[in-house]
Amino acid sequence: MQHLGFTRSVRRADHLLQTPDTFIRAPLPGMQRATAIVHAGPAIGAAFTQYTAEFEAAGTLAPASLQRFIYVIDGSVRVDGRTLGTGDFAYLPPGVGVIEATQPARAAVIEKPYQALTDVAPSEGLVGREQDVAISLIGDEPTIEVKSLIPDEAAFDFRMSVLTYQPGAALPQVEIHVMEHGLIMLAGGGIYRLGHHWYPVQAGDFIYMAPFCPQWFGALGKEPARYLLYKDWARHPQ
């Protein structure tokens, strides 16, 4: 319970920090025995929709009319006969894949209209495990590890990554770019600069960053900080 109206959540013109104490749960069309915490979407100016789906055992989410990405935060779900556990993920083309929880589960879900390219066929879908994804680095900085969950192929118009920062690690520069972000803190915490403001962040928080929002992160504490990051990619800005 929060007293005197206090929260770390902040909404500004080019960013949103949404903390768990302000989450509101509601069902979306196509959900059975499940609810959604909607974090970002067209209402905030985003070109994608991101929500956390919380499933009861045997809860379901029907196929979407848009392309969809799902990352299992905890618990397990089945997608087209494949079981996904914590850290597993799937990319689903429009109209594909009923998602059913085999036990209580939480999953990050991204839905986005597909931006087609001439002579490039869209992906038919993929399933993967974060632990099997190769690690890359930001520059030559060994204290920040990046796992790219979406292949670097023109068939995909966005990327999903998991970044892990060792305690004390920080981005080497303040970034300002045309891509927008949706970010869920999976573990640990630190300080995020968004625009001209500085925010303490921790596991469970969500951040939306609009195009050209100045951004920087540094990890604090005794455990690594990890977050799941969405960005639009490989398409001309619109």
Side-chain angles (χ1 to χ4, degrees), residues 102-120:
T102 59
Q103 59 180 282
R106 290 187 303 141
V109 182
I110 304 287
E111 296 174 353
K112 177 184 181 295
Y114 183 69
Q115 293 177 257
L117 292 177
T118 303
D119 299 326
V120 176

Side-chain angles (χ1 to χ4, degrees), residues 19-103:
T19 59
D21 57 292
T22 61
F23 289 173
I24 299 297
R25 294 160 172 83
L28 295 177
M31 282 185 158
Q32 299 291 331
R33 301 182 66 178
T35 56
I37 304 162
V38 178
H39 302 297
I44 203 172
F48 67 102
T49 296
Q50 182 164 355
Y51 57 93
T52 298
E54 296 185 334
F55 298 90
E56 301 175 25
T60 60
L61 179 58
S65 60
L66 306 175
Q67 61 179 334
R68 173 185 279 166
F69 180 90
I70 177 171
Y71 175 94
V72 181
I73 299 172
D74 55 53
S76 66
V77 302
R78 289 182 66 80
V79 181
D80 282 347
R82 297 282 297 274
T83 298
L84 307 182
T86 300
D88 295 345
F89 57 89
Y91 170 83
L92 304 172
V96 174
V98 174
I99 299 167
E100 180 177 9
T102 59
Q103 59 180 282

Side-chain angles (χ1 to χ4, degrees), residues 112-168:
K112 177 184 181 295
Y114 183 69
Q115 293 177 257
L117 292 177
T118 303
D119 299 326
V120 176
S123 170
E124 296 181 356
L126 66 84
V127 174
R129 309 183 69 185
E130 179 191 334
Q131 68 181 41
D132 296 335
V133 177
I135 293 172
S136 60
L137 303 177
I138 295 179
D140 58 357
E141 176 53 66
T143 60
I144 305 175
E145 297 180 349
V146 181
K147 290 193 170 186
S148 298
L149 310 185
I150 295 286
D152 188 13
E153 300 173 2
F156 298 96
D157 64 355
F158 68 93
R159 294 292 183 269
M160 298 296 303
S161 304
V162 174
L163 280 75
T164 301
Y165 295 71
Q166 296 304 312

